[in-house]
Structures are given as structure tokens and as C-alpha cells.
Amino acid sequence: MSKPHWRPAHASDLPAISAIAARIHPDLPESPEVLAEKMRLCPDGCRLLVVGDEIAGYGLSHPWKQHRIPPLDGLLERLPEDADCLYIHDVAVLAESRGGVLRAYIADIEQLARASGLATLALVSVYATQPLWQRLGFRPVTADADLRAKLASYGEGATYMLRDLAAT
């Protein structure tokens, strides 16, 4: 079996991405249209994890504004011209392919952010993954009332996190 690697995602990969999303995020469903829009708006931020000949995961990211969480299962319509972070919307890896692959994805996304002039990565941690993200250099942000209300749609325990690239 070949070594797991990340490659750019393509529109033809949408069925596989949707299938993995349904398995990993049954309580946080997003329509194929929402996933396709992210791929269209920021193709460089969308990657697939390939193991052998199989798609084993994906990562979707795009430029955004810090502390303004995009709506779950909502269309963005456009990216902000004054983006100040690269927002990691979702990373999902099938259980049998986990184990160190996230670090390579974050390294790729960090390069994209730097090349785009963005000095911060942002994400919402779900499913008690906060310790994993902290090991990758992200820190939880104390949420104000507005941010807490937005986080509620991501499920109990969702945490907004940032990683300052100037510190790495």
C-alpha cells in the first residue's frame, strides 16, 4: 500500500467527499452544494487524503474573517476581500487512515495561508478534538455572546481556535 498523501480536490471528487462527510459528521450535515461552493471559491484550500487508490479523507479551507464563523451548511456566496485568516472549515479522515496525516495537511494549508498573505489559521473544533488541535499549535479563543451563539450550531463543546503563523 502506498504512503498516505494529500492532493488537490477536484469537482469529480465531490461524491467521495460527501460520503466521508456523512460518515464522519452525521450530526453536522452539509449539502453537496455547500461543499462544492467551497471547492469552487477556494480550490487551493481543498485537499483529499489518498491512501493507495482510495480517498480516505478531505480538508476544506478558505480565506475568511477571524471570529466570524461561517454558517454550518450555508452558502458563502463570496469570500471577503478583507480576509484576515485562512479558515479550516472541515477536516475529516476515516478512522482507519488516521495517525499523523493531519500534520501534513496543516503544513500544506499553512503554506497556502502564507502565500496568500494571511498570518492566522482559524477553525471550529468539534467532537472533543480540541486537544488534537492544541498539539498542532491552535489555541482556544474565549467566545463572546455572539461567537457562542454561532458555535451552538456546531454542537455541544464546539470551540473556536486560532493559530498565529508568526509564532511558528
Side-chain angles (χ1 to χ4, degrees), residues 13-19 21-22 25-40 58 60 71-76 89-90:
D13 299 316
L14 187 57
I17 291 170
S18 293
H25 302 302
D27 298 328
L28 301 172
E30 291 196 285
S31 71
E33 293 79 17
V34 167
L35 300 173
E37 181 194 54
K38 289 178 185 356
M39 295 171 67
R40 188 178 72 257
Y58 66 87
L60 306 174
L72 191 63
D73 197 33
L75 295 172
L76 302 176
H89 176 78
D90 189 12

Side-chain angles (χ1 to χ4, degrees), residues 65-145:
K65 296 290 291 174
Q66 290 182 44
H67 307 285
R68 295 190 186 150
I69 300 169
L72 191 63
D73 197 33
L75 295 172
L76 302 176
E77 298 180 15
R78 60 184 162 79
L79 299 176
E81 292 180 24
D82 58 345
D84 59 5
C85 69
L86 190 66
Y87 181 76
I88 301 170
H89 176 78
D90 189 12
V91 180
V93 176
L94 297 175
E96 59 272 16
S97 298
R98 294 178 186 158
V101 297
L102 187 55
R103 191 168 300 280
Y105 174 76
I106 294 301
D108 283 353
I109 293 307
E110 181 179 328
Q111 285 183 333
L112 174 62
R114 289 180 190 278
S116 301
L118 300 170
T120 305
L121 299 179
L123 59 82
V124 173
S125 167
V126 296
Y127 305 134
T129 57
Q130 183 176 330
L132 169 69
W133 292 112
Q134 285 179 294
R135 286 192 299 275
L136 293 168
F138 288 82
R139 63 175 172 74
V141 173
T142 302
D144 62 16

